[in-house]
Amino acid sequence: MSPKVSDSTVRRLSRYLKILEARCSEGAGTISSDALATDAGTTAAQVRKDLSQFGSFGKRGQGYPLEDLGTHLREILGLGRPWRVALIGAGRIGTAILGYPDFRRKGFEIVVVLDEDPDKIGTPCCHTIVQGAEHLEQTLYDEEVELAILAVPAEVAQDLAIRAVTAGVRGILNFAPVRLRVPPHVAVQNVDLVMELEALAFELTHARDDEAG
Amino acid sequence: MSPKVSDSTVRRLSRYLKILEARCSEGAGTISSDALATDAGTTAAQVRKDLSQFGSFGKRGQGYPLEDLGTHLREILGLGRPWRVALIGAGRIGTAILGYPDFRRKGFEIVVVLDEDPDKIGTPCCHTIVQGAEHLEQTLYDEEVELAILAVPAEVAQDLAIRAVTAGVRGILNFAPVRLRVPPHVAVQNVDLVMELEALAFELTHARDDEAG
DNA sequence: AGGTGTGAACACTTTCACAGCA
DNA sequence: TGCTGTGAAAGTGTTCACACCT
């Protein structure tokens, strides 16, 4: 039933859903693959291929029912139920993330915030109180945390990742610029800002060449 | 001379460079494609293919000279010279970025910080003073800014992006969850944290299926 | 032997084109 | 007629295998 879905497809599904939600609030009832493609910055054929991997959600001659497709996409992406998330590291990036309202809106509930800094422990931080990291395993296990956001210095990232996995975490969003070594059943997504800037630098440096030809 | 380089290749080059720099400080003189691959989480053949697109940097039977390859990679990625960067938006994410020391280390100098909040304007913020956004175009032009980091609410992102482009910016690192419409010569890299979490949710939701078969 | 550089094979993704249903 | 769903074609990225240099 699930014949491997590529990462790029998943990213696009995510984008489609956002577009649907925007249109839904405008009250339209249906959307064509062409319109979706334009908004998402891809092609109509791509949209149809992506969606057809999971079922036939459209009506020929009409397009896709907005609300219906939205529900399906949420189900496909695994957003049909809330996810319990731990934020590990309440430094600059960590607190920035905590203030981000979109997470909760999409069903990602940050139920634990951990930090090693004694000054931060006990501090209220956006609905939650910062806890120490000594009992990380127990806390994450008790709170039934499934996802962890790792916003800690590179030196301690690997250690904390393993401890989180021990506590039952199966997915990690990693902001530390290191390649985490985790068991195969654990999913990791890396966010490396320096790498993104380097990609920009590369593109701009080689722009002249591309234009020629 | 430059026959299109894929985005994944650029990301890997970035990783290779980081590994080289780490090894360089340990004082080793040479590294094999196999060792580089292991550290980078890819294959030896992939490493050689990636590098061979830009030249022959290795010595058969020995491997790649550490320092030499590092210099080449920096040159390839466009890190041979510093980049002047503007941070647009000094909110939570903006200030988190500003505190990130790795940017400067890699040659990305944040020379301007802009925000619309009157309370923030004039405030010192990590070596820089926050300026108002009214004269964005003039300021960015005067400071010869080439890259912009957009850390503002989604509603104003598109407008500020265009204004930055008008001021001569050719690359944008965008944190707002919107698809920016910019002229074709402008490079955009998006960082959408909700999307990353959704990718994790998808993977975990479909994990059972994958293991079967 | 040891390890790079590279064409050829393979796998995966995107685009095309059109049959088929409303 | 309009737009979806999909096999087949084209395009892109990765892996293999081996010639070749030290």
Side-chain angles (χ1 to χ4, degrees), chain A residues 14 18 76 192 198 206 209, chain B residues 2 14 18 76 192 198 206:
Chain A
S14 192
K18 192 153 50 184
I76 291 165
D192 188 330
E198 287 178 350
H206 297 253
D209 315 359
Chain B
S2 59
S14 194
K18 193 154 50 185
I76 291 165
D192 188 330
E198 286 177 351
H206 295 253

Side-chain angles (χ1 to χ4, degrees), chain A residues 5-16 46 50:
Chain A
V5 181
S6 78
D7 205 63
S8 9
T9 301
V10 177
R11 287 249 170 78
R12 282 194 301 267
L13 293 178
S14 192
R15 229 176 306 157
Y16 301 157
Q46 182 75 76
D50 286 341

Side-chain angles (χ1 to χ4, degrees), chain B residues 66-97:
Chain B
L66 265 188
E67 207 163 331
D68 204 42
L69 182 56
T71 310
H72 278 297
L73 277 182
R74 260 185 294 272
E75 200 62 47
I76 291 165
L77 286 168
L79 306 178
R81 53 124 172 150
W83 290 85
R84 295 177 71 77
V85 183
L87 173 63
I88 303 177
R92 280 210 172 89
I93 306 174
T95 49
I97 288 167

